[in-house]
Amino acid sequence: MDQSSIDALRTQEIAPRGHFINGRFQDGENGAQHQVYSPINGQPLALIAEGSAADVDAAVRVARVSFEDGRWSRMAPAGRKKVLLKLADLIEARALEIAVLGVRDNGTEINMAYKAEALSAAATFRYYAEAIDKLYGQIAPTGDDVLGLIHHAPVGVVGAIVPWNFPLMIGSWKIAPALAAGNSVVLKPAESASLSLLKIAELAAEAGVPDGVFNVVTGRGSVVGEALALSMDVDILVFTGSGATGRRLLEYSARSNLKRCYLELGGKSPNIVFADAPDLAEAAKVSAAGIFRNSGQVCVAGSRLLVQEEIYEDFLSEITRHAAAFRVGDPLDLNSQIGAVHSLSELESNLDFVTKAQAEGADLRTGGSRILTETGGYYMAPTVMAGVKETDTLFQNEVFGPVLAVTPFKDEEEAIGLANATVYGLAGGVWTSNLGRAHRMVAGVRAGVVHVNTYGGADLTVPLGGVRQSGNGHDKSLHALEKYFDLKTAWIKL
């Protein structure tokens, strides 16, 4: 990856894109289009189809046909494996092109996007392709006169709704295991960040995924997402996004066919630093990256920093230094360490949180403002707010931006109490040299993943999922396959 290659790709014209239904791009039922703007400069970037309920119905209909006729669902697992491995190879071969395309509409810095989006997607398809022909059913422990077999059967049509922050990575976490298991998929990407997933749909067809098995309908959540969730012919719904939207999806499930809903709803993750951390300088460096990379637009971002009292001021100074030193700028510049906030509305929301925090008594140590306004893009300085109290808005609410809330604590008991003092439970971190304390904190912090002496970096071998109002179900690992299968029992009299 070099700057000249990136610069050549950044100016490529993007032709208007329709939905991807039944193996080809096609205009929507009403021909409407949605203007996508680039967070890099605030300028128009591309036109994509503005989906309708009729478009969703068309995609679900072909997905159902493709599932029932068995062109994919009854293909031998080794056959699906071969196709998905080819798709992984195609993604990897065009990784830079795909990464640049995604950065242009979502603003993630290219150094992160190349690995976390394009190469990660290739690895995810490869992982589930390799796994699918190695899963076995079970034989029940019955008497000699009966044979009990437990089969894994694909559920049918999977509806997937994914966000704008890592559309390709998160999309692949859902698409790859769903396809590997033999299901057909209708995907709804974020209307502001659809381009990389439309490219993946095109490559899937090239790899040999049969027509109708993988479909993409673009458009607004209030129309396309709602229609997908209300469909009587979608068997399960998988979603990553806000809690408010997740609640609506559950309502739509109840109003329609009681489809199972698996929801990842974000978090307000605590990152807890004890005075006996093995390397406080390293803890500060990693913790800063854990909140400020991708402008804080990461579901598991360590957005609440809890620091033991005896090191509070020194550690606060160190992490403030790191925050102020980050190079924020054009996300397609290899020298930029942090890219753009995804949209103007997100930027304004971030700034409102800073204003509210100051009004509630928090101390602004660095950042807190929009920067690089001359570019026309949406950039915000990494922000550190000290002295944030448990009752403060910034302590309780997910910002989804480069804003860190810092709070002191006395001991383990108070740290666990503060860590669990929000409605969320997605991730957390603990820094300590005490092995017993590390285990106690992992047990005590209510979260789907707890990092110890690091923050982030958990790979495909382990699941990611939340507890409490951070959602249910899991992406990543072999456990992710479970939701894409139904268990079917065969009870056979011998």
Side-chain angles (χ1 to χ4, degrees):
M1 184 170 63
D2 61 83
Q3 192 63 58
S4 61
S5 299
I6 294 168
D7 290 340
L9 290 165
R10 78 155 75 222
T11 57
Q12 285 188 351
E13 185 176 351
I14 302 171
R17 281 298 198 187
H19 310 300
F20 193 86
I21 300 175
N22 207 23
R24 64 183 180 89
F25 287 106
Q26 53 189 272
D27 293 335
E29 179 261 350
N30 58 15
Q33 293 181 312
H34 173 80
Q35 179 69 67
V36 177
Y37 292 86
S38 176
I40 298 173
N41 55 18
Q43 295 300 306
L45 175 64
L47 289 169
I48 61 173
E50 182 71 86
S52 66
D55 298 323
V56 173
D57 290 344
V60 171
R61 188 161 51 249
V62 300
R64 175 58 62 190
V65 169
S66 74
F67 179 77
E68 298 295 345
D69 70 19
R71 69 187 75 168
W72 183 253
S73 58
R74 290 196 290 274
M75 184 185 291
R80 297 198 297 269
K81 169 183 175 177
K82 183 178 180 180
V83 172
L84 294 179
L85 285 176
K86 184 175 180 181
L87 174 55
D89 290 343
L90 289 172
I91 295 171
E92 191 169 282
R94 302 178 69 171
L96 184 59
E97 174 192 346
I98 295 167
V100 170
L101 187 63
V103 170
R104 292 174 73 185
D105 73 3
N106 90 332
T108 300
E109 54 270 20
I110 187 63
N111 287 297
M112 173 175 273
Y114 182 66
K115 297 176 182 178
E117 286 277 85
L119 294 184
S120 169
T124 299
F125 278 99
R126 193 168 285 124
Y127 178 90
Y128 289 106
E130 290 287 2
I132 201 61
D133 64 350
K134 300 171 183 66
L135 298 178
Y136 292 83
Q138 295 173 304
I139 300 176
T142 65
D144 291 344
D145 60 337
V146 171
L147 177 62
L149 302 178
I150 304 170
H151 298 270
H152 292 94
V155 296
V157 176
V158 175
I161 303 174
V162 300
W164 46 258
N165 59 320
F166 287 105
L168 186 50
M169 178 179 73
I170 296 172
S172 298
W173 288 350
K174 302 178 192 308
I175 302 162
L179 291 178
N183 300 286
S184 294
V185 175
V186 178
L187 172 71
K188 186 260 179 234
E191 61 268 26
S192 57
S194 300
L195 298 178
S196 59
L197 286 165
L198 288 168
K199 174 59 71 173
I200 295 305
E202 184 179 7
L203 294 180
E206 183 179 340
V209 175
D211 292 351
V213 171
F214 179 35
N215 309 277
V216 182
V217 181
T218 57
R220 300 180 188 278
S222 58
V223 177
V224 175
E226 179 176 325
L228 197 58
L230 284 170
S231 173
M232 296 296 290
D233 221 14
V234 170
D235 296 294
I236 71 167
L237 190 69
V238 291
F239 169 75
T240 296
S242 72
T245 301
R247 285 176 169 81
R248 286 198 295 274
L249 296 179
L250 289 173
E251 292 175 9
Y252 298 151
S253 170
R255 285 167 49 188
S256 55
N257 61 344
L258 293 175
K259 60 180 65 66
R260 300 195 298 270
C261 294
Y262 299 96
L263 312 173
E264 195 266 90
L265 305 177
K268 190 71 180 179
S269 299
N271 186 20
I272 307 163
V273 182
F274 285 92
D276 68 348
D279 186 336
L280 287 169
E282 177 69 6
K285 179 181 177 181
V286 173
S287 296
I291 173 60
F292 296 125
R293 294 301 302 274
N294 196 28
S295 293
Q297 299 165 142
V298 181
C299 297
V300 298
S303 56
R304 286 186 296 141
L305 180 64
L306 310 179
V307 184
Q308 200 160 24
E309 285 180 346
E310 50 262 52
I311 60 167
Y312 177 76
E313 284 298 337
D314 287 344
F315 196 84
L316 178 58
S317 295
E318 185 68 5
I319 203 159
T320 300
R321 183 182 67 81
H322 281 292
F326 276 117
R327 294 190 298 274
V328 182
D330 177 358
L332 289 174
D333 184 336
L334 286 169
N335 292 315
S336 295
Q337 296 173 300
I338 297 174
V341 174
H342 179 64
S343 67
L344 181 59
S345 61
E346 287 292 328
L347 176 60
E348 290 172 343
S349 175
N350 295 345
L351 296 173
D352 286 345
F353 271 105
V354 173
T355 301
K356 180 72 170 178
Q358 289 179 293
E360 292 178 346
D363 177 20
L364 175 62
R365 293 297 180 99
T366 190
S369 61
R370 181 178 183 177
I371 58 175
L372 305 175
T373 55
E374 70 280 2
T375 67
Y378 316 129
Y379 300 91
M380 181 174 176
T383 301
V384 176
M385 304 295 303
V388 178
K389 304 180 294 298
E390 178 183 338
T391 55
D392 288 354
T393 303
L394 189 60
F395 190 97
Q396 295 292 332
N397 291 17
E398 184 177 38
V399 177
F400 221 62
V403 182
L404 178 63
V406 188
T407 304
F409 69 88
K410 296 177 182 178
D411 51 27
E412 285 184 33
E413 181 179 4
E414 185 178 15
I416 290 175
L418 288 169
N420 295 334
T422 74
V423 299
Y424 297 105
L426 185 58
V430 178
W431 298 81
T432 180
S433 294
N434 185 315
L435 181 61
R437 170 179 285 159
H439 282 287
R440 290 191 296 273
M441 296 302 293
V442 168
V445 175
R446 299 186 65 187
V449 56
V450 180
H451 310 85
V452 179
N453 294 331
T454 188
Y455 202 95
D459 65 18
L460 280 169
T461 60
V462 292
L464 173 65
V467 299
R468 300 195 289 172
Q469 292 186 36
S470 284
N472 58 60
H474 294 85
D475 288 324
K476 306 197 316 178
S477 83
L478 295 181
H479 292 284
L481 284 162
E482 295 166 4
K483 58 181 173 287
Y484 300 109
F485 285 117
D486 284 327
L487 294 180
K488 178 180 287 188
T489 295
W491 189 255
I492 304 170
K493 184 174 176 58
L494 300 177

